[in-house]
Every structure is written in structure tokens, then in C-alpha cells.
Amino acid sequence: LDGLRLLRDRGPSSIAIAAGEYGYEATYFRRMLTKGAVDVLQADATRCCGITGFLHVEALCRAECLPLSAHTAPALHAHLGCALSWVCHVEYFHDHVRAESLLFRNLPKLVDGSLLPDRGLPGHGIKLREDEAVAAFEVFSQEVR
């Protein structure tokens, strides 16, 4: 945290320091905010206790007037970004999106730099491709043995 604070204090003001993507509990995120370690707090709902944990991190950001960036998993985070006013980014890695598309249907579409969820579907709308998931698990299980 001291190193991140040093970067914030001495780096170019045009570069926002973002971190936190490996956090999984509120204490972790609170410490980053207390130390003034970041310009943008970053969280990942797949690590920080799901959507509820992500909502807790967003509340911490709101209390500190600090933006929140969603780390990868754009199919999940696009919906949170639409619903939460403090979310400023959703990271988009092509390899992650490729993996998501192998396992899930109804993923948000990337159009001109924006992720567009299908608002005609209930909830997040994402559906597991069960046959593909089972096949992938079987291949993975054999490789691990």
C-alpha cells in the first residue's frame, strides 16, 4: 500500500492508480482507502463474495467519493456497471471474453467500446452452456491427472 501511495504522490497526475482486484473482504478494500493508495478502487465480483460483496465495495467507494473499476468477467460486471453509479470501468480482456463465450450464452455485446447487456432478458440473462461446460471439465480433469 505504501508503494501504491508513493506512485500516486509522485507519478504523473494524468495517470490514475487502480488496484484491489485480488481483494475478497471489506477490510482489504477499506485499508486501501484509508492509506490513500488508489485513485480508483478495483474489485472483482468473482473474488469478493459475489454481487453482494461487490455492492459492499461500491458502498465504500461511494462513502469516499472514489470511482470503482470492475476487474475482468465483463459478462458479470457489465450489469453491475449499469446498476451502480460509482462504477467507471469494466475491464475487457479478449481471452477472458473468449473463455466466457465457450461456457455461457447471452453475453453482453461489445459495441463501440461499450458493453450492452440484453435488457429483454430477466436478471443478468447469462445461461450456462451445460454440455460444453461438462465436456471442458472432463478434458481439464484428464489433464490434471
Side-chain angles (χ1 to χ4, degrees), residues 11-95:
S13 61
S14 61
I15 296 176
I17 302 301
E21 64 271 24
Y22 293 104
Y24 59 91
E25 63 179 356
T27 304
Y28 174 90
F29 296 104
R30 199 173 294 119
R31 277 188 22 236
M32 293 188 92
L33 294 173
T34 301
K35 288 279 196 171
V38 295
D39 297 303
V40 179
L41 193 57
Q42 193 167 40
D44 186 330
T46 68
R47 291 189 174 111
C48 69
C49 299
I51 291 171
T52 301
F54 197 89
L55 292 172
H56 290 169
V57 176
E58 194 260 353
L60 291 171
C61 287
R62 196 172 345 110
E64 297 293 327
C65 295
L66 199 74
L68 173 60
S69 178
H71 178 252
T72 69
L76 175 62
H77 289 118
H79 297 82
L80 292 167
C82 290
L84 304 173
S85 60
W86 288 93
V87 174
C88 62
H89 309 113
V90 174
E91 279 189 324
Y92 188 94
F93 294 111
H94 291 281
D95 57 336

Side-chain angles (χ1 to χ4, degrees), residues 81-127:
C82 290
L84 304 173
S85 60
W86 288 93
V87 174
C88 62
H89 309 113
V90 174
E91 279 189 324
Y92 188 94
F93 294 111
H94 291 281
D95 57 336
H96 291 217
V97 172
R98 185 178 156 271
E100 285 181 336
S101 69
L102 294 172
L103 296 172
F104 301 100
R105 290 182 174 79
N106 306 331
L107 299 176
K109 305 286 186 247
L110 181 64
V111 178
D112 296 327
S114 296
L115 284 169
L116 304 176
D118 185 341
R119 293 188 275 163
L121 298 173
H124 57 58
I126 300 167
K127 299 287 183 201

